Amino acid sequence: LILRNNPARAVELAVENWAALQREPRDVRVLLETALAAKNAAAARPALEWMQKTGYEEARFRELDKALRKLPQ
């Protein structure tokens, strides 16, 4: 997740993975967790939009979304 103590790089890779059309729940989790670790809420937006569009729900993802919303904009 943190990719050798570099959360910013980890979130970059997760965003690239998402852009490569990897759209499964585990990809959502990786993107949300890396965005939170990097304190980059904007990076999580595509995964959150996918969840809203598809109606996919998971308790852990809701918790991550809440944590991301608490980050400074």
Side-chain angles (χ1 to χ4, degrees):
L1 167 65
I2 303 302
L3 189 69
R4 297 185 184 195
N5 245 358
N6 189 345
R9 180 66 180 137
V11 78
E12 286 175 17
L13 292 172
V15 168
E16 288 175 17
N17 183 59
W18 189 266
L21 300 178
Q22 294 298 313
R23 308 269 166 81
E24 298 179 18
R26 66 178 164 214
D27 301 306
V28 172
R29 180 186 55 80
V30 169
L31 188 50
L32 296 179
E33 288 180 351
T34 58
L36 185 59
K39 296 179 176 44
N40 183 350
R45 195 169 301 127
L48 296 171
E49 289 172 354
W50 175 86
M51 288 172 50
Q52 185 176 28
K53 183 178 171 181
T54 64
Y56 187 83
E57 289 274 334
E58 195 168 311
R60 176 66 180 139
F61 296 171
R62 284 192 303 272
E63 292 172 14
L64 289 166
D65 182 24
K66 287 180 187 176
L68 286 161
R69 290 174 190 270
K70 292 179 182 177
L71 292 175
Q73 298 297 325

